[in-house]
Amino acid sequence: MITWLATDDPFPCIERALAAGSGAPGLLAASAELLPSRLIDAYSHGIFPWYSDGQPVLWWSPDPRMILRPDEFKVSPSLRKTLKRIVRDAVWEVRVDDDFAAVMRACAQAPRHGQHGTWITADIVEAYCSLHHAGQAHSVETWCNGQRVGGLYGVSLGRMFFGESMYASVTDASKIALAALVGHLRQHKVEVIDCQQNTAHLASLGAREITRQAFIAHVQASVDTEPVPWRFDKTILLDVISSAASTAK
């Protein structure tokens, strides 16, 4: 039985989320509203929204949980070569929070294999933009010749980053943004990027599953710590390139 949340209702215990084989594993609750305060409460407890237009707001806490540890980010030889070119070529930039809402809209329009439509609804954009204005959601953007060609966005609480979506309009543009994010989070001792659910693409970049219990324990230890600063540029990629070179030896 899925819990229906009124405006001031707390989330139910995450162990009440639907189990594997239920048809909607990880589904915990539903609500009529998507308030910024509810979003912060959700992420602080390892819960996230995922739903489509015409549905109520659906709240999820899957088990297992897909994560990427920045120290485990996989840089293929071809991506390492691309990152080195990005760093030395002045036409390429990495920008932070240049146009958060536009990145969300671009993610909403990006085609997804086996998926029709988008879960990034107008209400989602409005709610996350409110978090962005409060300094709790950020975009990392890849630019070339003055045009934004890829990026990602997510929620940042304390020493925890909750990845939401990414897009690319040119090859590897989203990977460049992710590599920059990884380099930045490494520098600030952020140990986990939440990737929510397993995909082959994320796995190819080093993401893996952990138990929900382990994930929640990490979230609880991380979200109330000193927040990460959000100012960096493409030179952060030098750390990722160097780390990739060391791993290859």
Side-chain angles (χ1 to χ4, degrees), residues 49-64:
W50 184 36
Y51 64 102
S52 300
D53 268 329
Q55 293 181 321
V57 181
L58 302 178
W59 300 95
W60 303 77
S61 184
D63 188 13

Side-chain angles (χ1 to χ4, degrees), residues 96-101 127-139:
V96 178
D97 293 337
D98 187 86
D99 195 340
F100 180 86
Y128 283 80
C129 281
S130 293
L131 296 191
H132 172 63
H133 295 317
Q136 295 168 312
H138 301 277
S139 60

